[in-house]
């Protein structure tokens, strides 16, 4: 008997029209894998890149997108601990998340504690992992000043929420006032506008940059002595070719430059961090901002929304 499930499959690269809602055979389960009945799916920029054929690891069409899900383990593989059967889990994937079921290695599972909903677990998800590791690189203590470039994005907003909970003094760079209210709602009280940069003192212990683009040097000049500049994204593209000279020209300030990717961390490091994050979220009653919750069949609408630039908070698909 072939068990069928609903899924979104990309048979060719292109616009949201290529997101086909189809019947697909249930994935097989390897010896050290589990099958998850998916409840909530995170929608992110990686999914859009994959749909367009711009995501390096997925160069050929014919795949189900989706890199993070929450659901219930309904089958465990032959060499997988029975402990996981029936557990509610968060799982990081290479692909396959836009579906009703997915098989994943047991090494990529993190148990979701009671008190955190499926939707909230995936709303924090990978964004919280990147935000948390970036904050660790920031070496911040209570009341230290942090500037976030890209605070209105998925990672930036979660970084602000986590930093606030840790007593860090957060400032968000604002490109426009359009999303100021959203940032106020998540606890940000201080803002930096482009026209005010030149008059700012070099007073930030750390800057988390999710934007990059041209003109990064002006932000480097805002770092205090021994400050940390963490690049964790690049929404505006690459910086100038001479990027980095601002660090060398201020050598007497002992500045630190970090370029961060989650890919450099092992499964066990990531799982440990996610477990810690779930505890922290519960302890401080943190809530990740949500933009929209849609049904799996509405994946195209989710992608259109994300590409509109009007989004604040996570877009999530549910089964």
């Amino acid at each position: 008997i072939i068990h069928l499930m609903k899924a979104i499959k990309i048979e060719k690269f292109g616009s949201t029209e290529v997101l086909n809602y189809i019947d697909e055979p249930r994935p097989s389960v390897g010896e050290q894998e589990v099958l998850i009945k998916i409840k909530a799916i995170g929608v992110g920029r990686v999914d859009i890149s994959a749909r367009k054929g711009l995501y390096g690891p997925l160069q050929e069409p014919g795949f189900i997108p989706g890199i993070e899900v929450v659901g219930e383990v309904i089958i465990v593989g032959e060499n997988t601990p029975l402990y996981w059967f029936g557990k509610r889990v968060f799982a990081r994937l290479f692909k396959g998340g836009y579906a009703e079921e997915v098989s994943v290695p047991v090494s990529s599972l993190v148990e979701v504690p009671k008190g955190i909903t499926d939707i909230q677990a995936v709303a924090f998800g990978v964004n919280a992992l990147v935000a948390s590791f970036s904050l660790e690189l920031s070496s911040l203590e209570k009341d230290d000043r942090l500037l976030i470039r890209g605070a209105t994005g998925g990672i930036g907003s979660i970084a602000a929420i986590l930093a606030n909970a840790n007593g860090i003094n957060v400032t968000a760079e604002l490109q426009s006032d359009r999303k100021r209210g959203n940032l106020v709602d998540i606890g940000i009280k201080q803002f930096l506008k482009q026209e005010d940069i030149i008059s700012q003192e070099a007073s930030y212990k750390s800057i988390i940059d999710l934007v990059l683009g041209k003109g990064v040097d002006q932000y480097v000049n805002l770092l205090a002595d021994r400050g940390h500049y963490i690049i964790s994204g690049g929404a505006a593209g690459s910086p100038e070719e001479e990027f980095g000279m601002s660090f060398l020209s201020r050598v007497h300030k002992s500045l630190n430059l970090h370029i961060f990717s989650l890919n450099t961390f092992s499964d066990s490091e990531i799982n440990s961090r996610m477990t810690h994050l779930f505890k922290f979220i519960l302890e401080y009653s943190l809530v990740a901002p949500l933009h929209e919750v849609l049904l799996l069949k509405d994946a195209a609408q989710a992608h259109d929304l994300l590409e509109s630039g009007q989004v604040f908070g996570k877009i999530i698909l549910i089964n």
Side-chain angles (χ1 to χ4, degrees):
I1 298 171
I2 297 175
H3 291 274
L4 294 176
M5 65 172 186
K6 291 292 186 183
I8 298 287
K9 197 164 189 179
I10 295 173
E11 297 287 10
K12 62 180 181 179
F13 296 133
S15 69
T16 53
E17 292 176 359
V18 306
L19 295 171
N20 297 313
Y21 184 61
I22 60 168
D23 288 313
E24 185 78 358
R26 166 190 273 180
S28 59
V29 183
E31 288 188 1
Q32 296 184 349
E33 293 183 334
V34 302
L35 188 74
I36 298 172
K37 185 178 178 61
I38 298 171
K39 304 290 181 66
I41 304 147
V43 178
R45 297 276 171 195
V46 169
D47 304 335
I48 289 171
S49 296
R51 191 195 79 221
K52 294 178 176 178
L54 303 175
Y55 181 52
L58 295 170
Q59 288 295 299
E60 297 294 327
F63 60 86
I64 297 168
I67 64 163
E68 56 179 336
V69 301
V70 169
E72 181 188 343
V73 174
I74 56 172
I75 297 175
V76 296
E78 201 173 321
N79 289 333
T80 301
L82 276 173
Y83 167 85
W84 288 104
F85 182 76
K87 295 293 183 189
R88 199 164 59 103
V89 295
F90 168 77
R92 294 165 291 103
L93 319 169
F94 167 58
K95 59 182 178 179
Y98 284 31
E100 290 181 322
E101 297 175 343
V102 67
S103 61
V104 301
V106 70
S107 59
S108 70
L109 299 180
V110 177
E111 190 170 347
V112 179
K114 288 178 182 173
I116 299 179
T117 66
D118 301 332
I119 286 171
Q120 274 293 305
V122 89
F124 278 103
V126 170
N127 286 344
L129 286 165
V130 176
S132 176
F133 282 117
S134 298
L135 284 167
E136 186 176 89
L137 289 171
S138 301
S139 298
L140 293 162
E141 296 176 1
K142 194 176 178 198
D143 295 326
D144 280 343
R145 299 193 75 207
L146 166 69
L147 174 65
I148 300 177
R149 293 194 70 211
T152 59
I155 296 167
S157 57
I158 298 294
I161 289 166
L162 296 178
N164 262 337
N166 278 306
I168 292 160
N169 191 337
V170 180
T171 299
E173 185 207 17
L174 265 191
Q175 298 287 343
S176 74
D177 279 325
R178 195 160 41 90
K179 295 181 180 177
R180 180 190 281 260
N182 298 120
L183 293 169
V184 169
D185 289 344
I186 63 167
I188 293 182
K189 300 180 178 70
Q190 297 174 84
F191 302 93
L192 175 65
K193 285 195 155 183
Q194 184 77 32
E195 58 265 29
D196 299 327
I197 291 172
I198 199 146
S199 61
Q200 285 281 306
E201 290 182 16
S203 61
Y204 293 102
K205 174 74 181 290
S206 294
I207 297 173
I208 293 177
D209 191 343
L210 301 150
V211 180
L212 266 186
K214 310 302 179 192
V216 171
D217 285 1
Q218 63 187 332
Y219 298 97
V220 177
N221 290 332
L222 299 179
L223 280 176
D225 290 5
R226 291 179 288 164
H228 296 260
Y229 200 100
I230 298 97
I231 296 169
S232 299
S238 299
E240 292 93 347
E241 283 184 24
E242 66 272 18
F243 165 71
M245 289 306 296
S246 50
F247 289 92
L248 293 175
S249 65
R250 298 182 70 211
V251 66
H252 58 292
K253 297 290 188 181
S254 300
L255 302 181
N256 301 274
L257 172 63
H258 309 270
I259 299 172
F260 173 80
S261 169
L262 201 56
N263 295 330
T264 58
F265 290 82
S266 67
D267 284 339
S268 60
E269 287 173 306
I270 290 172
N271 294 349
S272 174
R273 179 58 55 100
M274 199 73 219
T275 300
H276 166 76
L277 279 166
F278 282 146
K279 288 177 182 172
F280 188 78
I281 289 160
L282 276 175
E283 183 181 349
Y284 287 88
S285 302
L286 302 182
V287 178
L290 294 173
H291 185 84
E292 193 90 53
V293 179
L294 298 165
L295 295 173
L296 175 62
K297 67 181 179 63
D298 297 321
Q301 185 185 339
H303 279 221
D304 283 334
L305 267 175
L306 192 53
E307 289 187 282
S308 72
Q310 306 303 309
V311 171
F312 185 85
K314 194 84 166 187
I315 297 173
I316 291 174
L317 302 174
I318 58 171
N319 284 310

